Amino acid sequence: MGKIFKNDVSVLFNNNPISEDFHLYECGYEECKPTKPYEFVPIDYWVIHYCIAGEGIFQIEDKQNHIKAGDIFMIPPYTKNKYYPLPENPWSYHWIGLRGKQIHKLLSMCGLSPETYIIHNELDTHLKNLFEKIYQEFQRERYFKSISTTFLLFDYLGNHLRLKQKAELSTTEVYFNAILNYIHKNYADNISISDIATANNIDRTYVFKLFQKYLKISPSQYLQQYRLSKACTLLRKTSLSITDISYTVGFQHAPYFTKLFTQYIGETPSEYRKEYMRFGEDSFS
């Protein structure tokens, strides 16, 4: 960092968003000195840090996490947090701050979400260079260039690191991901738990154990919920009849679909569709 940046800390802001969907609001870096732990006031935008040297503690939702060089940690908007360097080996990091309606979706595609705040990894020179370039272009007021580099950063996180982590998955995780992929591709067919097990060359009992381990529900419950989520989309987005929608998402009997939909969603498919038609698409996520 010393060859590129002159000071120990710097932060830059851009208060003129190009779009409501995506705004690179700030970026910065800091070579930290040992400090006492203190709590940060929650902010109204997303912040992604990349630790490039040293170690520190990141506390969020009352859970402490040890951060080392190579790790990424994210703070969602309006979230109580605390982070500080370890006195014996204080960290240095880059960060970017993001605003916009699509930030949540974009970060989720990169493996970061309000449920997954941290990506543990070895120090990655390419990732470090991307953060540095975002800062440099931002400093030169080349905002389109800094934004395009931010999307290169997203692409790298969403592909390279995700593939690397996938290669490190345990055997049970591999099986479970394969089961979910099978359900997502075949939910519209009349599939059973036996079909799921056979397609993945495992026993029915093992399918149940995997769902209990990772989701705490049965495979049948997951399949039903997934089908219902697809039905909600079709009710909002298409003019298909409720009977046609029930068959399209894999239910064999329309009355059973209506009963189950009402049980899970809290209103009938017809009521759900009318509500959507009354308020418009913007009322639904």
Side-chain angles (χ1 to χ4, degrees), residues 178-183 186-205 207-208 211 219-220 223 227 250 252:
I179 288 170
L180 293 182
N181 287 334
Y182 179 83
I183 291 174
N186 298 280
Y187 71 92
D189 298 326
N190 186 26
I191 58 174
S192 65
I193 308 306
S194 295
D195 294 328
I196 295 171
T198 300
N200 291 279
N201 296 313
I202 55 178
D203 186 79
R204 273 176 50 95
T205 305
V207 174
F208 280 91
F211 271 90
S220 297
L223 178 58
R227 284 170 167 166
Q252 301 302 303

PDB file of all heavy atoms in Angstrom, residues 178-183 186-205 207-208 211 219-220 223 227 250 252:
ATOM      1  N   ALA A 178     -26.514 -30.513  -4.650  1.00  0.00           N
ATOM      2  CA  ALA A 178     -26.996 -31.264  -5.817  1.00  0.00           C
ATOM      3  C   ALA A 178     -28.493 -31.540  -5.698  1.00  0.00           C
ATOM      4  O   ALA A 178     -29.237 -31.463  -6.689  1.00  0.00           O
ATOM      5  CB  ALA A 178     -26.223 -32.574  -5.948  1.00  0.00           C
ATOM      6  N   ILE A 179     -28.957 -31.841  -4.483  1.00  0.00           N
ATOM      7  CA  ILE A 179     -30.381 -32.086  -4.257  1.00  0.00           C
ATOM      8  C   ILE A 179     -31.193 -30.823  -4.534  1.00  0.00           C
ATOM      9  O   ILE A 179     -32.222 -30.857  -5.213  1.00  0.00           O
ATOM     10  CB  ILE A 179     -30.616 -32.562  -2.806  1.00  0.00           C
ATOM     11  CG1 ILE A 179     -30.093 -33.999  -2.638  1.00  0.00           C
ATOM     12  CG2 ILE A 179     -32.095 -32.495  -2.431  1.00  0.00           C
ATOM     13  CD1 ILE A 179     -30.062 -34.455  -1.206  1.00  0.00           C
ATOM     14  N   LEU A 180     -30.716 -29.684  -4.022  1.00  0.00           N
ATOM     15  CA  LEU A 180     -31.420 -28.419  -4.256  1.00  0.00           C
ATOM     16  C   LEU A 180     -31.474 -28.085  -5.741  1.00  0.00           C
ATOM     17  O   LEU A 180     -32.510 -27.642  -6.253  1.00  0.00           O
ATOM     18  CB  LEU A 180     -30.750 -27.281  -3.481  1.00  0.00           C
ATOM     19  CG  LEU A 180     -30.825 -27.340  -1.953  1.00  0.00           C
ATOM     20  CD1 LEU A 180     -30.164 -26.113  -1.348  1.00  0.00           C
ATOM     21  CD2 LEU A 180     -32.254 -27.470  -1.464  1.00  0.00           C
ATOM     22  N   ASN A 181     -30.379 -28.305  -6.435  1.00  0.00           N
ATOM     23  CA  ASN A 181     -30.356 -28.044  -7.880  1.00  0.00           C
ATOM     24  C   ASN A 181     -31.361 -28.927  -8.616  1.00  0.00           C
ATOM     25  O   ASN A 181     -32.043 -28.479  -9.549  1.00  0.00           O
ATOM     26  CB  ASN A 181     -28.954 -28.273  -8.443  1.00  0.00           C
ATOM     27  CG  ASN A 181     -27.988 -27.179  -8.040  1.00  0.00           C
ATOM     28  OD1 ASN A 181     -28.398 -26.043  -7.773  1.00  0.00           O
ATOM     29  ND2 ASN A 181     -26.699 -27.493  -7.989  1.00  0.00           N
ATOM     30  N   TYR A 182     -31.454 -30.186  -8.193  1.00  0.00           N
ATOM     31  CA  TYR A 182     -32.412 -31.105  -8.821  1.00  0.00           C
ATOM     32  C   TYR A 182     -33.845 -30.623  -8.599  1.00  0.00           C
ATOM     33  O   TYR A 182     -34.662 -30.618  -9.523  1.00  0.00           O
ATOM     34  CB  TYR A 182     -32.237 -32.511  -8.239  1.00  0.00           C
ATOM     35  CG  TYR A 182     -33.214 -33.513  -8.811  1.00  0.00           C
ATOM     36  CD1 TYR A 182     -32.965 -34.143 -10.031  1.00  0.00           C
ATOM     37  CD2 TYR A 182     -34.396 -33.825  -8.129  1.00  0.00           C
ATOM     38  CE1 TYR A 182     -33.880 -35.054 -10.567  1.00  0.00           C
ATOM     39  CE2 TYR A 182     -35.310 -34.724  -8.658  1.00  0.00           C
ATOM     40  CZ  TYR A 182     -35.041 -35.342  -9.876  1.00  0.00           C
ATOM     41  OH  TYR A 182     -35.953 -36.230 -10.408  1.00  0.00           O
ATOM     42  N   ILE A 183     -34.148 -30.199  -7.371  1.00  0.00           N
ATOM     43  CA  ILE A 183     -35.493 -29.696  -7.070  1.00  0.00           C
ATOM     44  C   ILE A 183     -35.790 -28.446  -7.884  1.00  0.00           C
ATOM     45  O   ILE A 183     -36.874 -28.298  -8.457  1.00  0.00           O
ATOM     46  CB  ILE A 183     -35.637 -29.416  -5.563  1.00  0.00           C
ATOM     47  CG1 ILE A 183     -35.619 -30.739  -4.779  1.00  0.00           C
ATOM     48  CG2 ILE A 183     -36.928 -28.653  -5.274  1.00  0.00           C
ATOM     49  CD1 ILE A 183     -35.610 -30.556  -3.269  1.00  0.00           C
ATOM     50  N   ASN A 186     -36.563 -29.444 -11.462  1.00  0.00           N
ATOM     51  CA  ASN A 186     -37.634 -30.414 -11.732  1.00  0.00           C
ATOM     52  C   ASN A 186     -38.885 -30.226 -10.880  1.00  0.00           C
ATOM     53  O   ASN A 186     -39.762 -31.093 -10.872  1.00  0.00           O
ATOM     54  CB  ASN A 186     -37.093 -31.836 -11.502  1.00  0.00           C
ATOM     55  CG  ASN A 186     -35.951 -32.182 -12.433  1.00  0.00           C
ATOM     56  OD1 ASN A 186     -36.157 -32.528 -13.589  1.00  0.00           O
ATOM     57  ND2 ASN A 186     -34.725 -32.082 -11.922  1.00  0.00           N
ATOM     58  N   TYR A 187     -38.986 -29.101 -10.176  1.00  0.00           N
ATOM     59  CA  TYR A 187     -40.129 -28.899  -9.275  1.00  0.00           C
ATOM     60  C   TYR A 187     -41.473 -28.951  -9.994  1.00  0.00           C
ATOM     61  O   TYR A 187     -42.500 -29.292  -9.395  1.00  0.00           O
ATOM     62  CB  TYR A 187     -39.989 -27.550  -8.551  1.00  0.00           C
ATOM     63  CG  TYR A 187     -40.212 -26.352  -9.444  1.00  0.00           C
ATOM     64  CD1 TYR A 187     -41.474 -25.774  -9.568  1.00  0.00           C
ATOM     65  CD2 TYR A 187     -39.165 -25.797 -10.166  1.00  0.00           C
ATOM     66  CE1 TYR A 187     -41.687 -24.685 -10.392  1.00  0.00           C
ATOM     67  CE2 TYR A 187     -39.363 -24.714 -10.999  1.00  0.00           C
ATOM     68  CZ  TYR A 187     -40.629 -24.155 -11.107  1.00  0.00           C
ATOM     69  OH  TYR A 187     -40.836 -23.081 -11.934  1.00  0.00           O
ATOM     70  N   ALA A 188     -41.496 -28.605 -11.286  1.00  0.00           N
ATOM     71  CA  ALA A 188     -42.757 -28.579 -12.035  1.00  0.00           C
ATOM     72  C   ALA A 188     -43.264 -29.982 -12.351  1.00  0.00           C
ATOM     73  O   ALA A 188     -44.438 -30.155 -12.700  1.00  0.00           O
ATOM     74  CB  ALA A 188     -42.579 -27.784 -13.325  1.00  0.00           C
ATOM     75  N   ASP A 189     -42.399 -30.974 -12.244  1.00  0.00           N
ATOM     76  CA  ASP A 189     -42.811 -32.359 -12.508  1.00  0.00           C
ATOM     77  C   ASP A 189     -43.337 -33.001 -11.225  1.00  0.00           C
ATOM     78  O   ASP A 189     -43.145 -32.483 -10.115  1.00  0.00           O
ATOM     79  CB  ASP A 189     -41.628 -33.171 -13.044  1.00  0.00           C
ATOM     80  CG  ASP A 189     -41.107 -32.620 -14.361  1.00  0.00           C
ATOM     81  OD1 ASP A 189     -41.934 -32.112 -15.152  1.00  0.00           O
ATOM     82  OD2 ASP A 189     -39.883 -32.674 -14.592  1.00  0.00           O
ATOM     83  N   ASN A 190     -43.953 -34.134 -11.364  1.00  0.00           N
ATOM     84  CA  ASN A 190     -44.507 -34.852 -10.214  1.00  0.00           C
ATOM     85  C   ASN A 190     -43.410 -35.669  -9.532  1.00  0.00           C
ATOM     86  O   ASN A 190     -43.434 -36.904  -9.529  1.00  0.00           O
ATOM     87  CB  ASN A 190     -45.659 -35.750 -10.668  1.00  0.00           C
ATOM     88  CG  ASN A 190     -46.372 -36.409  -9.497  1.00  0.00           C
ATOM     89  OD1 ASN A 190     -46.363 -35.880  -8.384  1.00  0.00           O
ATOM     90  ND2 ASN A 190     -46.968 -37.562  -9.749  1.00  0.00           N
ATOM     91  N   ILE A 191     -42.417 -34.967  -8.963  1.00  0.00           N
ATOM     92  CA  ILE A 191     -41.282 -35.660  -8.356  1.00  0.00           C
ATOM     93  C   ILE A 191     -41.583 -36.024  -6.907  1.00  0.00           C
ATOM     94  O   ILE A 191     -42.343 -35.338  -6.223  1.00  0.00           O
ATOM     95  CB  ILE A 191     -39.990 -34.816  -8.436  1.00  0.00           C
ATOM     96  CG1 ILE A 191     -40.187 -33.455  -7.741  1.00  0.00           C
ATOM     97  CG2 ILE A 191     -39.568 -34.628  -9.871  1.00  0.00           C
ATOM     98  CD1 ILE A 191     -38.905 -32.642  -7.648  1.00  0.00           C
ATOM     99  N   SER A 192     -40.961 -37.080  -6.455  1.00  0.00           N
ATOM    100  CA  SER A 192     -41.120 -37.547  -5.077  1.00  0.00           C
ATOM    101  C   SER A 192     -39.762 -37.537  -4.394  1.00  0.00           C
ATOM    102  O   SER A 192     -38.726 -37.319  -5.033  1.00  0.00           O
ATOM    103  CB  SER A 192     -41.690 -38.970  -5.069  1.00  0.00           C
ATOM    104  OG  SER A 192     -40.763 -39.868  -5.660  1.00  0.00           O
ATOM    105  N   ILE A 193     -39.754 -37.797  -3.106  1.00  0.00           N
ATOM    106  CA  ILE A 193     -38.495 -37.885  -2.372  1.00  0.00           C
ATOM    107  C   ILE A 193     -37.653 -39.034  -2.910  1.00  0.00           C
ATOM    108  O   ILE A 193     -36.428 -38.936  -3.001  1.00  0.00           O
ATOM    109  CB  ILE A 193     -38.745 -38.062  -0.860  1.00  0.00           C
ATOM    110  CG1 ILE A 193     -39.700 -36.983  -0.346  1.00  0.00           C
ATOM    111  CG2 ILE A 193     -37.433 -38.021  -0.094  1.00  0.00           C
ATOM    112  CD1 ILE A 193     -39.258 -35.569  -0.658  1.00  0.00           C
ATOM    113  N   SER A 194     -38.308 -40.123  -3.302  1.00  0.00           N
ATOM    114  CA  SER A 194     -37.583 -41.252  -3.897  1.00  0.00           C
ATOM    115  C   SER A 194     -36.902 -40.837  -5.198  1.00  0.00           C
ATOM    116  O   SER A 194     -35.776 -41.254  -5.479  1.00  0.00           O
ATOM    117  CB  SER A 194     -38.538 -42.419  -4.149  1.00  0.00           C
ATOM    118  OG  SER A 194     -39.046 -42.922  -2.937  1.00  0.00           O
ATOM    119  N   ASP A 195     -37.591 -40.028  -6.004  1.00  0.00           N
ATOM    120  CA  ASP A 195     -36.989 -39.540  -7.247  1.00  0.00           C
ATOM    121  C   ASP A 195     -35.746 -38.701  -6.950  1.00  0.00           C
ATOM    122  O   ASP A 195     -34.722 -38.819  -7.642  1.00  0.00           O
ATOM    123  CB  ASP A 195     -37.996 -38.687  -8.029  1.00  0.00           C
ATOM    124  CG  ASP A 195     -39.186 -39.487  -8.521  1.00  0.00           C
ATOM    125  OD1 ASP A 195     -38.993 -40.690  -8.824  1.00  0.00           O
ATOM    126  OD2 ASP A 195     -40.289 -38.928  -8.594  1.00  0.00           O
ATOM    127  N   ILE A 196     -35.853 -37.842  -5.940  1.00  0.00           N
ATOM    128  CA  ILE A 196     -34.725 -36.986  -5.559  1.00  0.00           C
ATOM    129  C   ILE A 196     -33.545 -37.839  -5.115  1.00  0.00           C
ATOM    130  O   ILE A 196     -32.395 -37.597  -5.513  1.00  0.00           O
ATOM    131  CB  ILE A 196     -35.141 -36.017  -4.437  1.00  0.00           C
ATOM    132  CG1 ILE A 196     -36.216 -35.053  -4.945  1.00  0.00           C
ATOM    133  CG2 ILE A 196     -33.937 -35.245  -3.906  1.00  0.00           C
ATOM    134  CD1 ILE A 196     -36.849 -34.207  -3.857  1.00  0.00           C
ATOM    135  N   ALA A 197     -33.825 -38.854  -4.302  1.00  0.00           N
ATOM    136  CA  ALA A 197     -32.765 -39.731  -3.812  1.00  0.00           C
ATOM    137  C   ALA A 197     -32.123 -40.520  -4.952  1.00  0.00           C
ATOM    138  O   ALA A 197     -30.892 -40.604  -5.046  1.00  0.00           O
ATOM    139  CB  ALA A 197     -33.324 -40.683  -2.758  1.00  0.00           C
ATOM    140  N   THR A 198     -32.954 -41.075  -5.814  1.00  0.00           N
ATOM    141  CA  THR A 198     -32.439 -41.884  -6.936  1.00  0.00           C
ATOM    142  C   THR A 198     -31.586 -41.045  -7.876  1.00  0.00           C
ATOM    143  O   THR A 198     -30.522 -41.483  -8.329  1.00  0.00           O
ATOM    144  CB  THR A 198     -33.618 -42.501  -7.723  1.00  0.00           C
ATOM    145  OG1 THR A 198     -34.384 -43.324  -6.841  1.00  0.00           O
ATOM    146  CG2 THR A 198     -33.103 -43.333  -8.892  1.00  0.00           C
ATOM    147  N   ALA A 199     -32.046 -39.824  -8.177  1.00  0.00           N
ATOM    148  CA  ALA A 199     -31.314 -38.953  -9.101  1.00  0.00           C
ATOM    149  C   ALA A 199     -29.932 -38.598  -8.574  1.00  0.00           C
ATOM    150  O   ALA A 199     -29.014 -38.326  -9.349  1.00  0.00           O
ATOM    151  CB  ALA A 199     -32.114 -37.688  -9.363  1.00  0.00           C
ATOM    152  N   ASN A 200     -29.778 -38.630  -7.241  1.00  0.00           N
ATOM    153  CA  ASN A 200     -28.493 -38.265  -6.641  1.00  0.00           C
ATOM    154  C   ASN A 200     -27.750 -39.454  -6.052  1.00  0.00           C
ATOM    155  O   ASN A 200     -26.762 -39.270  -5.332  1.00  0.00           O
ATOM    156  CB  ASN A 200     -28.731 -37.208  -5.560  1.00  0.00           C
ATOM    157  CG  ASN A 200     -29.164 -35.876  -6.141  1.00  0.00           C
ATOM    158  OD1 ASN A 200     -28.343 -35.089  -6.602  1.00  0.00           O
ATOM    159  ND2 ASN A 200     -30.463 -35.599  -6.127  1.00  0.00           N
ATOM    160  N   ASN A 201     -28.259 -40.662  -6.345  1.00  0.00           N
ATOM    161  CA  ASN A 201     -27.602 -41.901  -5.926  1.00  0.00           C
ATOM    162  C   ASN A 201     -27.395 -41.980  -4.415  1.00  0.00           C
ATOM    163  O   ASN A 201     -26.326 -42.385  -3.927  1.00  0.00           O
ATOM    164  CB  ASN A 201     -26.253 -42.063  -6.639  1.00  0.00           C
ATOM    165  CG  ASN A 201     -26.408 -42.200  -8.132  1.00  0.00           C
ATOM    166  OD1 ASN A 201     -27.234 -42.975  -8.619  1.00  0.00           O
ATOM    167  ND2 ASN A 201     -25.627 -41.434  -8.883  1.00  0.00           N
ATOM    168  N   ILE A 202     -28.419 -41.578  -3.677  1.00  0.00           N
ATOM    169  CA  ILE A 202     -28.347 -41.666  -2.227  1.00  0.00           C
ATOM    170  C   ILE A 202     -29.657 -42.255  -1.707  1.00  0.00           C
ATOM    171  O   ILE A 202     -30.637 -42.374  -2.432  1.00  0.00           O
ATOM    172  CB  ILE A 202     -28.102 -40.289  -1.563  1.00  0.00           C
ATOM    173  CG1 ILE A 202     -29.165 -39.285  -2.012  1.00  0.00           C
ATOM    174  CG2 ILE A 202     -26.710 -39.782  -1.866  1.00  0.00           C
ATOM    175  CD1 ILE A 202     -29.008 -37.920  -1.367  1.00  0.00           C
ATOM    176  N   ASP A 203     -29.658 -42.610  -0.433  1.00  0.00           N
ATOM    177  CA  ASP A 203     -30.833 -43.219   0.192  1.00  0.00           C
ATOM    178  C   ASP A 203     -31.833 -42.140   0.617  1.00  0.00           C
ATOM    179  O   ASP A 203     -31.452 -41.014   0.955  1.00  0.00           O
ATOM    180  CB  ASP A 203     -30.379 -44.021   1.422  1.00  0.00           C
ATOM    181  CG  ASP A 203     -31.518 -44.800   2.049  1.00  0.00           C
ATOM    182  OD1 ASP A 203     -31.868 -45.868   1.525  1.00  0.00           O
ATOM    183  OD2 ASP A 203     -32.061 -44.313   3.060  1.00  0.00           O
ATOM    184  N   ARG A 204     -33.134 -42.483   0.613  1.00  0.00           N
ATOM    185  CA  ARG A 204     -34.185 -41.562   1.046  1.00  0.00           C
ATOM    186  C   ARG A 204     -33.911 -41.018   2.452  1.00  0.00           C
ATOM    187  O   ARG A 204     -34.095 -39.825   2.714  1.00  0.00           O
ATOM    188  CB  ARG A 204     -35.539 -42.289   1.066  1.00  0.00           C
ATOM    189  CG  ARG A 204     -36.280 -42.300  -0.238  1.00  0.00           C
ATOM    190  CD  ARG A 204     -37.542 -43.147  -0.088  1.00  0.00           C
ATOM    191  NE  ARG A 204     -38.322 -42.767   1.081  1.00  0.00           N
ATOM    192  CZ  ARG A 204     -39.337 -41.910   1.052  1.00  0.00           C
ATOM    193  NH1 ARG A 204     -39.693 -41.345  -0.087  1.00  0.00           N
ATOM    194  NH2 ARG A 204     -40.004 -41.630   2.146  1.00  0.00           N
ATOM    195  N   THR A 205     -33.488 -41.888   3.335  1.00  0.00           N
ATOM    196  CA  THR A 205     -33.233 -41.479   4.717  1.00  0.00           C
ATOM    197  C   THR A 205     -32.163 -40.401   4.789  1.00  0.00           C
ATOM    198  O   THR A 205     -32.254 -39.459   5.588  1.00  0.00           O
ATOM    199  CB  THR A 205     -32.803 -42.695   5.565  1.00  0.00           C
ATOM    200  OG1 THR A 205     -33.790 -43.719   5.457  1.00  0.00           O
ATOM    201  CG2 THR A 205     -32.626 -42.305   7.015  1.00  0.00           C
ATOM    202  N   VAL A 207     -31.525 -38.192   2.474  1.00  0.00           N
ATOM    203  CA  VAL A 207     -32.121 -36.939   1.995  1.00  0.00           C
ATOM    204  C   VAL A 207     -32.779 -36.213   3.163  1.00  0.00           C
ATOM    205  O   VAL A 207     -32.593 -35.003   3.352  1.00  0.00           O
ATOM    206  CB  VAL A 207     -33.152 -37.206   0.876  1.00  0.00           C
ATOM    207  CG1 VAL A 207     -33.867 -35.906   0.494  1.00  0.00           C
ATOM    208  CG2 VAL A 207     -32.478 -37.810  -0.343  1.00  0.00           C
ATOM    209  N   PHE A 208     -33.543 -36.946   3.970  1.00  0.00           N
ATOM    210  CA  PHE A 208     -34.204 -36.344   5.128  1.00  0.00           C
ATOM    211  C   PHE A 208     -33.177 -35.797   6.125  1.00  0.00           C
ATOM    212  O   PHE A 208     -33.346 -34.702   6.667  1.00  0.00           O
ATOM    213  CB  PHE A 208     -35.100 -37.374   5.824  1.00  0.00           C
ATOM    214  CG  PHE A 208     -36.429 -37.572   5.163  1.00  0.00           C
ATOM    215  CD1 PHE A 208     -36.593 -38.543   4.184  1.00  0.00           C
ATOM    216  CD2 PHE A 208     -37.515 -36.775   5.501  1.00  0.00           C
ATOM    217  CE1 PHE A 208     -37.823 -38.730   3.558  1.00  0.00           C
ATOM    218  CE2 PHE A 208     -38.747 -36.952   4.875  1.00  0.00           C
ATOM    219  CZ  PHE A 208     -38.904 -37.932   3.901  1.00  0.00           C
ATOM    220  N   PHE A 211     -31.695 -32.423   4.915  1.00  0.00           N
ATOM    221  CA  PHE A 211     -32.598 -31.284   5.073  1.00  0.00           C
ATOM    222  C   PHE A 211     -32.728 -30.873   6.537  1.00  0.00           C
ATOM    223  O   PHE A 211     -32.823 -29.680   6.845  1.00  0.00           O
ATOM    224  CB  PHE A 211     -33.975 -31.600   4.474  1.00  0.00           C
ATOM    225  CG  PHE A 211     -34.074 -31.243   3.021  1.00  0.00           C
ATOM    226  CD1 PHE A 211     -33.732 -32.171   2.048  1.00  0.00           C
ATOM    227  CD2 PHE A 211     -34.475 -29.979   2.633  1.00  0.00           C
ATOM    228  CE1 PHE A 211     -33.804 -31.844   0.700  1.00  0.00           C
ATOM    229  CE2 PHE A 211     -34.545 -29.637   1.296  1.00  0.00           C
ATOM    230  CZ  PHE A 211     -34.217 -30.575   0.319  1.00  0.00           C
ATOM    231  N   PRO A 219     -37.734 -32.488   3.289  1.00  0.00           N
ATOM    232  CA  PRO A 219     -37.643 -32.208   1.852  1.00  0.00           C
ATOM    233  C   PRO A 219     -38.999 -31.909   1.223  1.00  0.00           C
ATOM    234  O   PRO A 219     -39.105 -31.097   0.303  1.00  0.00           O
ATOM    235  CB  PRO A 219     -37.009 -33.476   1.275  1.00  0.00           C
ATOM    236  CG  PRO A 219     -37.133 -34.514   2.339  1.00  0.00           C
ATOM    237  CD  PRO A 219     -37.149 -33.788   3.628  1.00  0.00           C
ATOM    238  N   SER A 220     -40.058 -32.550   1.726  1.00  0.00           N
ATOM    239  CA  SER A 220     -41.397 -32.288   1.205  1.00  0.00           C
ATOM    240  C   SER A 220     -41.828 -30.852   1.488  1.00  0.00           C
ATOM    241  O   SER A 220     -42.417 -30.180   0.634  1.00  0.00           O
ATOM    242  CB  SER A 220     -42.416 -33.253   1.825  1.00  0.00           C
ATOM    243  OG  SER A 220     -42.127 -34.582   1.466  1.00  0.00           O
ATOM    244  N   LEU A 223     -39.933 -28.563  -0.906  1.00  0.00           N
ATOM    245  CA  LEU A 223     -40.489 -28.650  -2.261  1.00  0.00           C
ATOM    246  C   LEU A 223     -41.802 -27.874  -2.350  1.00  0.00           C
ATOM    247  O   LEU A 223     -42.036 -27.137  -3.316  1.00  0.00           O
ATOM    248  CB  LEU A 223     -40.699 -30.112  -2.641  1.00  0.00           C
ATOM    249  CG  LEU A 223     -41.322 -30.396  -4.013  1.00  0.00           C
ATOM    250  CD1 LEU A 223     -40.491 -29.781  -5.131  1.00  0.00           C
ATOM    251  CD2 LEU A 223     -41.464 -31.905  -4.227  1.00  0.00           C
ATOM    252  N   ARG A 227     -42.387 -24.519  -4.642  1.00  0.00           N
ATOM    253  CA  ARG A 227     -43.464 -24.468  -5.635  1.00  0.00           C
ATOM    254  C   ARG A 227     -44.378 -23.274  -5.377  1.00  0.00           C
ATOM    255  O   ARG A 227     -44.797 -22.588  -6.312  1.00  0.00           O
ATOM    256  CB  ARG A 227     -44.262 -25.773  -5.599  1.00  0.00           C
ATOM    257  CG  ARG A 227     -43.561 -26.943  -6.266  1.00  0.00           C
ATOM    258  CD  ARG A 227     -44.275 -28.254  -5.996  1.00  0.00           C
ATOM    259  NE  ARG A 227     -43.781 -29.319  -6.876  1.00  0.00           N
ATOM    260  CZ  ARG A 227     -44.026 -30.607  -6.675  1.00  0.00           C
ATOM    261  NH1 ARG A 227     -44.759 -30.992  -5.641  1.00  0.00           N
ATOM    262  NH2 ARG A 227     -43.541 -31.508  -7.512  1.00  0.00           N
ATOM    263  N   GLY A 250     -46.270 -27.812 -10.412  1.00  0.00           N
ATOM    264  CA  GLY A 250     -46.067 -29.178  -9.960  1.00  0.00           C
ATOM    265  C   GLY A 250     -47.144 -29.784  -9.091  1.00  0.00           C
ATOM    266  O   GLY A 250     -46.986 -30.920  -8.630  1.00  0.00           O
ATOM    267  N   GLN A 252     -50.733 -31.531  -8.577  1.00  0.00           N
ATOM    268  CA  GLN A 252     -51.578 -32.372  -9.411  1.00  0.00           C
ATOM    269  C   GLN A 252     -53.065 -32.075  -9.244  1.00  0.00           C
ATOM    270  O   GLN A 252     -53.872 -32.435 -10.091  1.00  0.00           O
ATOM    271  CB  GLN A 252     -51.314 -33.848  -9.082  1.00  0.00           C
ATOM    272  CG  GLN A 252     -49.862 -34.260  -9.292  1.00  0.00           C
ATOM    273  CD  GLN A 252     -49.398 -34.019 -10.731  1.00  0.00           C
ATOM    274  OE1 GLN A 252     -49.992 -34.539 -11.677  1.00  0.00           O
ATOM    275  NE2 GLN A 252     -48.337 -33.235 -10.884  1.00  0.00           N
TER     276      GLN A 252
END
